[in-house]
């Protein structure tokens, strides 16, 4: 299962974080900093999967943004790799028309991943409730 | 009170803060504003405030004052506020907080709300932070939603059920039938949720697993639909229909097929189909293939399928994408023990990966290469491994070195090759090898007597080039000391001989002694080597004498003790010097200091006991107290002999029992003691080795026991030793054995005499330990003799 999802910029500042397993607040900052340090220090030729403590990190870089997903050992890393890309594509599709809004990103993430497992990967289905929400907000 | 600013602006303000302090200031101002706003009962911007608070919380600042606000907002009728309220609940609350109890009611109401989005919010939150009581309360509700609602809700309900099952294991029974019925849905989201739920149920209890085995055909059907269906605009990623669902189903199939023949049979065709039909040019395809391979290797699949799976992994290894290479390595490592031959076929590619840029790929390649070494490919593999060792990252060096040693020990094609390999490793990575390498290597060298000349020349040359690698220097010093005469003779068949004079050799040793790079242990080796040379060379004995006396006042206590003892050897015991310092006998692996119960290699003790052998041909086997007794016979030792753990300079534990060199010729003094043949009793018979015992009464309390050993197998036995122990009041003296090798088929026997003195007339028992080497492996056994025929 997925343990947490992080979006960080190149300086290591967290832009988005979502935990699917309870981690204490006090330890979150240290954990995030450590994970980010691990991923940011890797060179281009190195692969996108890192073994970190007792779980695995899958990370992908998009311009200035790094998306890091931590998964347990049993997960298929390539599948999670694709999931990250799927997520970015969904964000792209949605936010191409609308200005970037953090709680909307949370909604999208909730539609895709719930409780550490994948719920939905179809773009239009993911965005359906959001477009409905937008319509409700406008009217 | 500063006006509240919208979320975006606050984010911008925080990001533009240049220092931590500034950021904290902005955040504190905002938090104060938010708190004030919360206190106001009616505010249109409540959701915005809570959103801002959540952002602040994400950055790591305390936000617990927002909890009650979350509860209030969840209860609000407006969707936008509910939305943010639930999000807040998921982020700020967990089951340990008291406020979470307050939202139970709201969740219950919202689960039956008319708007599906509200229902989904409630499901989401319950799945995220529902406590055990909440779960138990709401489980029937979730079950109802699983059966009768639209697909949007069903998929969320399925995942909520997963959480419930995790929290309250017993409720798994409740959801099993619903989960089964969900499998017929067309909607992929629901299918996915159902598969996850079934996976969770199967992992929790084995009986559920048994029951769910029946659905394997259904799953196979679904997979077939996905694989063959071709392009489907709805669920498509780069040409593959819903790879995520495929991966999930494959994983469930893996769990169901594990250890079960029938289930595995049902999946065989499907797996073969997926493996061959999936397009592997894109990463998605590879993801599905990877999962397929994992499944094939885990269930009881037929061999053709397994070979197909390993070939896919081999193809992965050649892929340009390093991610794929990495996972191929990881999987190959898991199966190298079980499908060894299949993996061997890809050995070439694996060895190439040793040169990969990525450190994790290198590590995997190293472990795989070490696992793939076998007798047939040892030479080529070793070449590659040694090349790798010279260029590998430092954290892998120790692992690589020890792996190489293990491989060399098991599969060395010849002694010379073995020694060469070890020397190569010591020169490249000497600092990272383990400590026991030095005694191991020394033991190996002594065993190959025909290569002594070659070895000592090679080591001498290595010593001249570099004295920083401690292990190498230690071995080199030891060899020069031991085989110095071969070095000085100047001729060698195996390698071109350097013309080494005595001064050169002594120079080399002195450099080691004086260099600040040498560790104290190394200097100990060098000093002892210098001393040994005193019997091997003719001209420069005075030079050695002076070196030794200089170190008599060295600051290092260890060196000082040795030097003083050696000095004494020159002065008072010069007549014994030659015998004491002569060639070491062949050491066996077993006798690494354990049998004698002393710490490895107590040099001076051994030397003293060797001199004892001069005085009396007595051999003792049990620990130090007996040694001390005998030493008193010498008229006291000249230095107080504390058991100093001299670092194996004479290599561990002189196996006193088997020295035939020192004590051998003197036993002729004993000449006439032939055992009178009384009825010999067989006391031990195992693996073709027979041990018989004759007893003869010599006097009132004295008894001579003769132990005879013979070998009836087809292979020779070497290094045969016997040790005996008797009750405390009985005195035991073991004489030297007639030999230590038992040729095959009883061609010759080994005899050993034991003299017992039983003054107190206690009941005589003897425990005998037998150790020998046969076909390269060591055996050890113990037998207890409780009755003696002569008594």
């Amino acid at each position: 299962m997925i343990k947490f999802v992080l979006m960080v910029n190149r300086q290591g500042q967290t832009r988005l974080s979502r935990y699917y397993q309870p981690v204490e607040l006090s330890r979150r900052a240290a954990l995030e900093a450590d994970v980010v340090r691990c991923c940011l220090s890797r060179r281009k030729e190195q692969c996108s999967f890192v073994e970190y403590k007792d779980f695995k990190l899958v990370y992908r870089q998009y311009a200035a943004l790094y998306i890091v997903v931590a998964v347990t050992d049993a997960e298929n890393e390539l599948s999670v790799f694709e999931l990250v890309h799927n997520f970015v594509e969904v964000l792209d599709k949605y936010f191409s028309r609308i200005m970037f809004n953090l709680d909307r990103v949370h909604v999208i993430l909730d539609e895709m991943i719930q409780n550490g497992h994948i719920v939905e990967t179809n773009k239009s289905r993911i965005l359906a409730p959001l477009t409905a929400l937008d319509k409700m907000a406008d009217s | 009170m500063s006006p509240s600013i919208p979320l975006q602006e606050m984010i911008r303000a925080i990001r533009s803060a240049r220092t931590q302090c500034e950021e904290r200031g902005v955040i504190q101002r905002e938090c104060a504003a938010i708190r004030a706003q919360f206190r106001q009962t009616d505010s249109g911007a409540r959701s915005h405030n809570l959103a801002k608070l959540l952002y602040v919380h994400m950055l790591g600042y305390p936000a617990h004052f927002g909890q009650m606000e979350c509860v209030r907002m969840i209860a609000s009728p407006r969707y936008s506020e509910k939305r943010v309220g639930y999000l807040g609940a998921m982020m700020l609350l967990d089951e340990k907080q008291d406020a979470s109890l307050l939202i139970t009611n709201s969740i219950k109401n919202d689960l039956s709300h008319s708007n599906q989005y509200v229902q989904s919010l409630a499901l989401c939150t319950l799945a995220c932070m529902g406590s055990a009581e909440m779960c138990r309360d709401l489980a029937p509700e979730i079950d109802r939603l699983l059966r009768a609602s639209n697909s949007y809700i069903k998929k969320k309900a399925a995942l909520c059920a997963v959480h419930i099952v995790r929290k309250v294991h017993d409720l798994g029974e409740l959801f099993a039938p619903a989960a089964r019925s969900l499998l017929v849905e067309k909607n992929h989201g629901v299918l996915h949720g159902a598969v996850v739920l079934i996976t969770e149920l199967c992992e929790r209890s084995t009986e559920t697993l048994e029951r769910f085995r029946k659905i394997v055909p259904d799953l196979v059907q679904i997979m077939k639909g996905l694989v063959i269906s071709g392009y489907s605009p709805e669920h498509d990623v780069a040409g593959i229909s819903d790879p995520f669902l495929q991966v999930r189903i494959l994983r469930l199939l893996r769990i169901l097929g594990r250890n079960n023949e029938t289930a595995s049979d049902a999946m065989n065709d499907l797996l073969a189909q997926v493996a061959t039909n999936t397009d592997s040019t894109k990463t998605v395809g590879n993801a599905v293939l990877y999962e397929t391979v994992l499944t094939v290797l885990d269930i009881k699949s037929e061999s053709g399928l397994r070979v197909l799976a390993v070939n896919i992994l081999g193809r992965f290894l050649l892929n340009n994408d390093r991610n794929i290479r990495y996972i191929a390595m990881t999987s190959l490592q898991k199966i190298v023990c079980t499908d060894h031959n299949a993996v061997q076929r890809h050995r070439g590619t694996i060895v190439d990966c040793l040169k990969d840029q990525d450190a994790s790929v290198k590590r995997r390649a190293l472990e795989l290469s070490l696992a793939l070494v076998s007798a047939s490919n040892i030479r080529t593999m070793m070449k590659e491994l040694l090349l790798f060792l010279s260029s590998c990252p430092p954290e892998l060096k120790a692992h690589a070195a020890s792996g190489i040693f293990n491989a060399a020990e098991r599969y060395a094609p010849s002694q010379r090759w073995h020694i060469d390999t070890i020397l190569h490793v010591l020169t490249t990575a000497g600092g990272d090898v383990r400590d026991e390498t030095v005694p191991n290597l020394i033991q190996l060298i002594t065993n190959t007597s025909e290569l002594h000349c070659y070895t000592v020349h090679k080591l001498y040359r290595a010593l001249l080039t570099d004295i920083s690698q401690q292990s190498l220097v230690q071995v080199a010093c030891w060899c020069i000391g031991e085989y110095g005469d071969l070095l000085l003779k100047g001729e060698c068949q195996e390698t071109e001989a350097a013309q080494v004079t005595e001064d050169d050799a002594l120079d080399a040793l002195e450099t080691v002694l004086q260099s600040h790079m040498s560790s104290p242990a190394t200097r100990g080796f060098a000093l002892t080597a210098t001393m040994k040379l005193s019997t091997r060379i003719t001209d420069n004995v005075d030079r050695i004498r002076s070196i030794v006396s200089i170190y008599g006042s060295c600051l290092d206590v260890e060196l000082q003790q040795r030097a003083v003892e050696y000095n004494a050897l020159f002065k008072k015991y010069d007549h014994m010097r030659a015998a004491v310092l002569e060639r070491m006998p062949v050491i066996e692996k077993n006798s690494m200091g354990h049998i004698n119960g002393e710490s490895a290699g107590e040099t001076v003790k051994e030397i003293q006991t060797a001199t004892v052998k001069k005085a009396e041909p007595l051999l003792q086997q049990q620990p130090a107290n007996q040694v001390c007794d005998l030493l008193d016979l010498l008229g006291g030792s000249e230095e107080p002999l504390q058991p100093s753990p001299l670092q194996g300079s004479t290599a561990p534990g002189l196996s006193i029992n088997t020295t035939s060199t020192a004590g051998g010729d003197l036993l002729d003094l004993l000449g006439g003691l032939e055992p009178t043949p009384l009825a010999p009793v067989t006391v031990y018979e195992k693996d073709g080795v027979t041990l018989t015992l004759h007893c003869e009464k010599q006097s009132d309390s004295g008894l001579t026991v003769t132990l005879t050993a013979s070998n009836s197998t087809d292979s020779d036995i070497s290094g045969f030793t016997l040790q005996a122990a008797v009750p405390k009041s009985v005195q035991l003296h073991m004489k030297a054995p007639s030999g230590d090798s038992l040729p095959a088929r009883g061609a010759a026997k080994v005899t050993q005499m034991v003299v017992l003195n039983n003054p107190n007339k206690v009941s005589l028992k003897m425990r005998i330990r037998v150790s020998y080497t046969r076909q390269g492996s060591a055996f050890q056994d113990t037998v207890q003799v409780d009755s003696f025929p002569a008594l």
Side-chain angles (χ1 to χ4, degrees):
Chain A
M1 63 170 277
I2 299 177
K3 294 176 95 104
F4 58 82
V5 176
L6 281 181
M7 265 168 62
V8 287
N9 67 0
R10 301 210 67 183
Q11 282 78 43
Q13 294 172 319
T14 313
R15 293 278 168 248
L16 175 95
S17 78
R18 193 60 199 269
Y19 287 81
Y20 297 100
Q21 268 184 347
V23 174
E24 258 169 62
L25 279 182
S26 46
R27 288 187 25 225
R28 278 189 199 188
L31 176 66
E32 279 167 30
D34 204 21
V35 163
V36 161
R37 211 185 8 251
C38 235
C39 296
L40 259 58
S41 60
R42 284 173 79 82
R43 298 191 306 275
K44 255 200 160 45
E45 317 80 59
Q46 293 178 297
C47 68
S48 309
F49 314 129
V50 185
E51 273 155 39
Y52 179 79
K53 288 198 190 153
D54 62 337
F55 50 89
K56 292 192 269 216
L57 298 173
V58 179
Y59 71 92
R60 252 188 123 135
Q61 183 184 3
Y62 292 93
L65 200 63
Y66 284 81
I67 301 189
V68 184
V69 178
V71 288
T72 50
D73 263 337
E75 284 284 331
N76 181 338
E77 298 99 321
L78 282 178
S79 164
V80 177
F81 196 64
E82 282 304 309
L83 178 69
V84 172
H85 192 66
N86 199 354
F87 176 56
V88 171
E89 281 179 353
V90 171
L91 288 180
D92 202 32
K93 184 168 173 190
Y94 184 70
F95 288 114
S96 54
R97 299 176 290 113
I98 304 184
M99 207 178 59
F100 191 83
N101 193 330
L102 192 59
D103 48 338
R104 297 291 159 87
V105 179
H106 271 286
V107 174
I108 293 176
L109 195 53
D110 279 339
E111 288 292 318
M112 285 187 77
I113 303 175
Q114 190 181 326
N115 207 10
H117 295 283
I118 303 173
V119 180
E120 181 67 67
T121 52
N122 181 299
K123 290 195 206 60
S124 27
R125 293 226 185 104
I126 292 173
L127 293 176
L130 263 183
T131 31
L133 179 58
D134 290 339
K135 273 205 210 82
M136 269 197 275
D138 291 336
S139 58
Chain B
M1 186 176 63
S2 49
S4 69
I5 52 181
L7 176 62
Q8 293 301 101
E9 284 198 32
M10 183 186 86
I11 294 179
R12 226 170 289 142
I14 293 177
R15 284 192 199 173
S16 61
R18 276 177 305 243
T19 66
Q20 181 80 314
C21 194
E22 227 183 288
E23 180 182 302
R24 246 178 301 169
V26 172
I27 289 181
Q28 266 167 2
R29 266 200 309 276
E30 278 308 311
C31 283
I34 294 171
R35 246 188 294 230
Q37 295 262 327
F38 283 170
R39 264 180 257 127
Q40 291 182 319
T41 45
D42 165 51
S43 163
R46 268 165 54 180
S47 51
H48 292 297
N49 283 327
L50 191 54
K52 277 190 281 182
L53 184 61
L54 291 176
Y55 183 80
V56 165
H57 167 81
M58 189 186 79
L59 288 178
Y61 296 92
H64 38 265
F65 56 86
Q67 286 172 4
M68 286 313 295
E69 190 64 19
C70 288
V71 176
R72 241 174 283 147
M73 294 193 64
I74 289 175
S76 137
R78 292 171 60 187
Y79 179 71
S80 51
E81 293 189 354
K82 259 201 214 292
R83 165 74 226 160
V84 184
Y86 273 118
L87 183 62
M90 276 193 270
M91 293 185 75
L92 296 177
L93 293 175
D94 57 43
E95 52 186 44
K96 293 193 216 77
Q97 311 282 354
D98 300 327
S100 63
L101 294 170
L102 299 171
I103 63 174
T104 315
N105 214 19
S106 305
I107 293 184
K108 202 185 294 200
N109 290 338
D110 283 334
L111 276 178
S112 13
H113 203 274
S114 48
N115 186 331
Q116 62 174 355
Y117 298 117
V118 175
Q119 281 180 310
S120 80
L121 283 179
L123 279 171
C124 223
T125 313
L126 180 62
C128 184
M129 37 82 62
S131 65
E133 294 83 41
M134 279 164 73
C135 291
R136 240 187 273 267
D137 250 351
L138 299 168
E141 194 59 27
I142 307 293
D143 190 46
R144 184 182 65 81
L145 287 172
L146 267 180
R147 292 171 198 278
S149 50
N150 60 22
S151 40
Y152 178 72
I153 295 296
K154 273 191 195 162
K155 75 184 180 202
K156 301 226 173 198
L159 282 160
C160 192
V162 171
H163 175 86
I164 293 179
V165 169
R166 280 203 197 130
K167 278 283 175 195
V168 185
H169 302 323
D170 316 322
L171 289 174
E173 288 302 311
L174 176 63
F175 291 117
R180 180 99 173 66
S181 60
L182 281 179
L183 277 181
V184 301
E185 297 275 332
K186 291 274 172 284
N187 181 309
H188 281 207
V190 180
L191 271 178
H192 199 119
V195 173
V196 176
L197 179 58
I198 296 175
T199 313
E200 185 70 29
L201 289 172
C202 290
E203 276 172 359
R204 291 270 154 206
S205 100
T206 36
E207 351 167 323
T208 332
L209 179 63
E210 298 291 327
R211 269 187 290 149
F212 271 113
R213 285 234 171 84
K214 287 183 255 149
I215 63 167
V216 171
D218 299 320
L219 290 172
V220 169
Q221 207 56 33
I222 300 174
M223 270 299 284
K224 273 214 177 85
L226 285 174
V227 172
I228 307 179
S229 68
Y231 182 71
S232 154
E234 246 195 280
H235 314 289
D236 180 279
V237 179
I240 306 206
S241 338
D242 208 341
F244 300 103
L245 183 60
Q246 287 193 31
V247 166
R248 255 285 103 88
I249 293 181
L250 283 168
R251 198 171 309 164
L252 179 57
L253 285 174
R254 183 157 82 230
I255 295 176
L256 291 174
R258 210 178 272 159
N259 292 331
N260 185 299
E261 290 281 345
T262 33
S264 311
D265 284 334
M267 313 175 197
N268 266 325
D269 289 335
L270 170 72
L271 293 171
Q273 196 172 23
V274 174
T276 35
N277 284 1
T278 312
D279 175 23
S280 61
T281 46
K282 295 281 180 63
T283 319
V284 247
N286 286 328
V288 176
L289 280 174
Y290 178 47
E291 194 71 31
T292 318
V293 167
L294 287 179
T295 304
V296 167
L297 295 172
D298 216 8
I299 64 174
K300 289 193 183 307
S301 49
E302 53 185 26
S303 57
L305 199 51
R306 288 184 96 90
V307 170
L308 181 60
V310 176
N311 285 346
I312 294 180
L313 287 179
R315 242 185 16 238
F316 277 0
L317 277 180
L318 298 166
N319 197 306
N320 284 331
D321 190 345
R322 61 194 175 277
N323 292 335
I324 296 179
R325 281 205 301 272
Y326 173 79
I327 57 166
M329 291 282 205
T330 322
S331 324
L332 281 172
Q333 192 164 8
K334 287 189 209 143
I335 61 165
V336 75
C337 309
T338 44
D339 293 86
H340 194 93
N341 293 333
V343 182
Q344 278 279 8
R345 241 173 280 149
H346 302 281
R347 199 183 64 236
T349 333
I350 295 175
V351 168
D352 279 335
C353 286
L354 280 172
K355 304 182 194 106
D356 197 294
Q357 296 280 5
D358 186 300
S360 14
V361 174
K362 265 198 196 149
R363 188 200 313 257
R364 289 271 182 276
L366 174 65
E367 286 168 15
L368 267 174
S369 309
L370 288 174
L372 286 176
V373 171
S374 76
S376 45
N377 57 29
I378 178 74
R379 282 190 196 264
T380 34
M381 286 296 274
M382 197 49 81
K383 248 192 292 235
E384 293 291 336
L385 286 171
L386 288 175
L387 203 62
F388 172 70
L389 187 64
S390 41
S391 61
C392 82
E395 60 267 12
L396 290 177
K397 268 208 165 118
H399 186 66
S402 52
I404 290 177
F405 282 148
N406 282 340
E409 200 171 303
R410 276 189 291 163
Y411 301 114
S414 74
Q415 298 277 30
R416 175 174 163 170
W417 181 92
H418 194 174
I419 291 182
D420 275 341
T421 313
I422 298 190
L423 286 179
H424 193 142
V425 173
L426 283 180
T427 35
T428 27
D432 298 296
V433 298
R434 285 199 312 257
D435 294 331
E436 60 231 32
T437 321
V438 173
N440 278 344
L441 179 55
I442 290 180
Q443 188 240 326
L444 185 64
I445 292 177
T446 51
N447 275 333
T448 53
S449 43
E450 61 275 10
L451 288 176
H452 283 165
C453 194
Y454 166 75
T455 319
V456 74
H457 275 274
K458 241 187 140 176
L459 281 171
Y460 175 73
R461 263 193 280 268
L463 190 63
L464 287 182
T465 27
D466 173 25
I467 59 169
S468 62
Q469 305 272 35
Q470 294 306 302
S471 338
L472 183 63
V473 173
Q474 285 173 4
V475 177
C477 286
W478 190 89
C479 280
I480 295 179
E482 198 52 27
Y483 308 118
D485 47 339
L486 292 175
L487 181 66
L488 296 170
K489 227 176 5 183
E491 50 178 62
C492 181
Q493 304 132 321
E494 308 265 344
T495 173
E496 51 161 277
Q499 294 307 317
V500 182
T501 66
E502 299 177 355
D503 276 319
D504 292 335
L506 285 173
D507 280 339
L509 288 175
E510 261 204 274
T511 327
V512 174
L513 266 175
Q514 289 161 355
S515 157
H516 53 267
M517 285 194 279
S518 309
S519 71
T522 315
R523 292 163 87 186
F525 269 92
L527 189 59
T528 311
T530 318
M531 190 58 198
K532 283 193 204 169
L533 276 182
S534 72
T535 47
R536 314 252 198 287
I537 63 178
T538 43
D539 297 332
N540 286 358
V541 185
D542 290 328
R543 184 170 168 192
I544 296 182
R545 234 191 276 257
S546 59
I547 296 177
V548 166
S549 54
I550 289 174
Y551 277 89
S553 43
C554 169
L555 281 177
D556 184 333
V557 181
E558 169 71 30
L559 281 180
Q560 185 186 70
Q561 177 177 346
R562 287 190 193 209
V564 171
E565 287 162 356
Y566 293 154
N567 244 337
L569 206 54
F570 267 125
K571 298 207 179 76
K572 287 206 272 178
Y573 294 93
D574 205 33
H575 55 283
M576 287 194 201
R577 192 159 49 90
V580 168
L581 295 174
E582 70 175 15
R583 273 276 211 281
M584 295 289 289
V586 171
I587 308 154
E588 287 137 32
K589 223 77 213 217
N590 278 348
S591 55
M592 302 279 254
H594 297 311
I595 293 178
N596 293 337
E598 298 165 344
S599 54
E602 303 197 13
T603 331
V604 185
K605 264 215 185 64
E606 298 344 344
I607 297 179
Q608 291 299 342
T609 52
T611 62
V612 165
K613 275 197 289 290
K614 298 293 149 200
E616 269 176 279
L618 289 177
L619 298 167
Q620 83 277 24
Q621 66 282 356
Q622 290 305 335
N625 38 24
Q626 289 206 355
V627 177
C628 286
D629 290 339
L630 291 164
L631 287 175
D632 288 341
L633 296 167
L634 274 183
S637 34
E638 53 275 15
E639 307 301 325
L641 286 179
Q642 294 95 13
S644 43
L646 301 174
Q647 291 255 349
S649 54
T650 51
L654 223 167
S655 169
I656 298 183
N657 292 340
T658 55
T659 32
S660 33
T661 51
D665 30 345
L666 293 177
L667 281 181
D668 290 341
L669 294 175
L670 290 178
L673 275 177
E674 311 292 322
T676 55
L678 214 63
V681 176
T682 307
V683 294
Y684 171 79
E685 192 163 12
K686 199 170 161 198
D687 294 330
V689 177
T690 324
L691 190 64
T692 58
L693 185 137
H694 309 237
C695 280
E696 193 194 24
K697 240 174 145 26
Q698 301 291 351
S699 66
D700 200 10
S701 58
L703 181 71
T704 306
V705 175
T706 309
L707 299 161
T708 313
S710 63
N711 169 18
S712 62
T713 63
D714 285 351
S715 45
D716 292 353
I717 284 180
S718 58
F720 186 89
T721 66
L722 290 168
Q723 292 158 280
V726 287
K728 275 212 178 69
S729 58
V730 180
Q731 289 152 12
L732 172 141
H733 298 306
M734 272 187 112
K735 315 262 181 167
S738 62
D740 69 343
S741 64
L742 287 169
R745 286 179 277 275
K749 293 190 198 296
V750 165
T751 329
Q752 186 159 14
M753 278 212 297
V754 182
V755 176
L756 297 172
N757 193 10
N758 187 3
N760 297 346
K761 297 271 203 295
V762 300
S763 73
L764 199 56
K765 292 194 204 326
M766 192 194 295
R767 187 175 296 158
I768 304 177
R769 188 195 286 178
V770 178
S771 352
Y772 58 94
T773 312
R774 193 224 311 262
Q775 284 170 337
S777 38
F779 292 83
Q780 227 186 46
D781 210 349
T782 316
V783 62
Q784 177 132 343
V785 182
D786 290 316
S787 64
F788 285 75
L791 300 175

